[in-house]
Amino acid sequence: MPDVPTVTAPGAVGTPVRIDLDPPAVAMVWLGADRPHEVVAVPRVALAPGEALVAIELATICGSDVHTTAGRRRAPVPLVLGHEYVGRIVATGGDVRAIDGSLLFHGDRVVWSIMAGCGTCDRCRRGIPQKCRALVKYGHERLEPRWELTGGFASHVHLRRGTAMLRVSESVPAEVLAPASCGTATAWAAVERADDTTDIDDAVVLVLGAGLIGLTAAAIAADRGARVIVADPDARRRDLALRFGAAAAVDPLDPSAREAALADLGRAEIDVVIEASGSAAAVASAIDAVGVGGIVVLVGSVFPGGSLTVDPERLVRNLVTISGVHNYTPHDLHAAVRFLHARHTRYPFDELVGARMPLADVDAALELARSGDSVRVGLVP
C-alpha cells in the first residue's frame, strides 16, 4: 500500500484539497524526438471536487507512445506520455465514483479511461464521449503548472473529474490490467462495432495485425463464437495468435494462405475484417477481403499512413460497411475489464508484457518497445 499523503488544507466544500507528497511524486517528461526524458518532482497536488490522485502500480508502453517519440505523431511538449495503467487511489477531492456509480475510496485498485469528458456537450450526449468538445486525454496533454501528473510515465496520475474509473480485482495481474485503458478497451469497441452490423457468432473474422489490439480482438471475437483468422508477417505473432483463439494465423504476404484458411473453415468469404495495424496497404487489403454484406472496422490508423484508392461501386454492390473506431466509451472499458476478469486465465494476456523496467529507464524501455520483441513493455515506478 502506498504511503498515505498529507492533506494540508481540506478547505470548504467545493474547494480544492491540497495534498503534500513526501517523497514527491515523479513524472518523466518528454521534450521532443531524439531528446532524453527529464525527471520532474511534484511535491504538491491540488484536487478539485471529483478528482483523484492514483499511485501507479504498472504502466505499459502503447504503440502510439512509440510513434509519438519517433516523431510520427504530433504531440505538445513538454509532455508526460503513457495512457495504459493500473494503480491505487491515494487521495480524492470529495466523492469520486466508478463507472457503475459506486463510491471509490483510498486504497482501491483501479484502472481508468484514457480520457476525461464533460458529459454534457452534444457529442457526449450522442454517446461518443471520446470526442467530447472539452476532451482531456492522459498521456497526450501538455504539462501545465498545477497539473503536472498528466500521464502514465510517472509515479502518480492526477485524474480529472469526468474520468471513467473502475475498481479491479486484487487477483488479476497488473500485466493483464494495465493495457485495458487503451488496447483492450479499443479492441472491445472494435468487436462491438462489428457485432452491431454482423452477428459475430459463427462469423468468419479476419484480424489484420497481431499487436495487442489485434490479439485481444481475436480473443474477444473467438469468445463470442467467431471463426478467427489472424494475419501478421511475424511468425512469432502468428503463433501467439493461435493461443488467443485464432482458428488460423497466416502470413499476409502469402496470397494463397488466407484462401487456404477459409477453405479449411469450410467458408467461402469473410464476414468481418478488423484492421489493427494502421498500414495503408493493410487497409486496402481489408476492403478487398471483406465479403458481401460484411463490415470492415478500421482501428489501427491512428497516425499518418498515406491515402488509398477505393472502388465505391464495389462497396455499393457488395453492401459493404466501413467503420472507424477511435478509443472507446466508458461502457466499452467496463465490459473489457469484465472480460479480462473472466478470461485472463484462458488467454495468455499476462505474457503480452514481455519486459518490466524501472520508470527511470523510460528511454531504454521505449527503445525496447520499438524493437517489437515484446507486444508491450512495462514501466514500474
Side-chain angles (χ1 to χ4, degrees):
M1 176 77 66
D3 292 339
V4 177
T6 302
V7 180
T8 59
V13 174
T15 61
V17 176
R18 295 198 301 273
I19 308 294
D20 285 343
L21 295 165
D22 185 16
V26 171
M28 304 304 295
V29 180
W30 184 66
L31 300 174
D34 302 320
R35 298 183 63 180
H37 281 70
E38 292 191 0
V39 182
V40 170
V42 183
R44 174 175 286 186
V45 175
L47 298 179
E51 295 186 341
L53 182 66
V54 176
I56 293 177
E57 178 183 350
L58 179 73
T60 47
I61 298 176
C62 178
S64 64
D65 296 316
V66 174
H67 294 313
T68 297
T69 54
R72 292 191 289 268
R73 282 168 54 110
R74 291 183 180 180
V77 292
L79 173 66
V80 182
L81 290 159
H83 52 268
E84 293 185 343
Y85 25 49
V86 58
R88 203 172 294 277
I89 295 174
V90 295
T92 61
D95 287 353
V96 174
R97 294 187 179 272
I99 296 171
D100 61 8
S102 63
L103 281 170
L104 293 169
F105 300 100
H106 177 276
D108 282 342
R109 192 179 189 219
V110 292
V111 296
W112 57 98
S113 173
I114 190 177
M115 70 211 84
C118 70
T120 59
C121 73
D122 58 327
R123 291 177 179 172
C124 288
R125 294 195 307 270
R126 285 169 55 200
I128 47 173
Q130 67 268 50
K131 297 300 172 183
C132 172
R133 300 284 183 183
L135 189 70
V136 172
K137 293 186 73 175
Y138 300 103
H140 295 75
E141 304 291 337
R142 189 179 189 276
L143 184 149
E144 299 287 352
R146 295 179 295 281
W147 195 43
E148 298 90 354
L149 301 172
T150 58
F153 296 173
S155 63
H156 297 70
V157 177
H158 177 173
L159 300 185
R160 293 291 187 87
R161 184 181 181 89
T163 303
M165 303 177 66
L166 191 64
R167 188 182 290 105
V168 293
S169 170
E170 299 286 346
S171 65
V172 180
E175 291 85 354
V176 173
L177 292 169
S181 300
C182 181
T184 315
T186 300
W188 184 274
V191 176
E192 281 281 284
R193 183 67 59 85
D195 212 1
D196 287 343
T197 301
T198 298
D199 186 4
I200 288 289
D201 186 18
D202 200 41
V204 176
V205 176
L206 173 65
V207 178
L208 300 180
L212 189 134
I213 291 178
L215 291 169
T216 305
I220 295 168
D223 213 60
R224 297 187 183 192
R227 304 181 184 197
V228 180
I229 302 170
V230 174
D232 195 283
D234 188 325
R236 295 170 303 171
R237 297 291 180 93
R238 294 198 296 272
D239 289 342
L240 194 54
L242 297 175
R243 300 175 63 202
F244 276 84
V250 301
D251 186 346
L253 303 179
D254 179 353
S256 64
R258 192 174 69 213
E259 294 305 318
L262 264 177
D264 288 344
L265 293 175
R267 302 296 281 271
E269 59 187 5
I270 293 165
D271 305 300
V272 174
V273 184
I274 297 175
E275 202 302 293
S277 75
S279 158
V283 174
S285 174
I287 296 170
D288 289 341
V290 72
V292 173
I295 179 171
V296 176
V297 181
L298 305 179
V299 69
S301 301
V302 292
F303 57 92
S307 58
L308 65 151
T309 301
V310 176
D311 178 1
E313 181 186 10
R314 180 181 178 278
L315 301 181
V316 170
R317 290 189 182 279
N318 287 358
L319 309 176
V320 172
T321 300
I322 300 177
S323 184
V325 168
H326 187 227
N327 298 146
Y328 52 85
T329 68
H331 167 78
D332 295 319
L333 177 61
H334 196 183
V337 171
R338 288 201 308 267
F339 175 78
L340 291 176
H341 276 86
R343 295 289 188 265
H344 75 276
T345 58
R346 180 173 181 178
Y347 305 107
F349 285 103
D350 58 330
E351 296 180 24
L352 297 184
V353 181
R356 288 166 56 115
M357 299 180 68
L359 177 63
D361 294 340
V362 61
D363 290 306
L366 281 161
E367 283 298 321
L368 182 59
R370 287 188 192 101
S371 73
D373 287 343
S374 300
V375 176
R376 284 292 189 270
V377 174
L379 288 170
V380 183

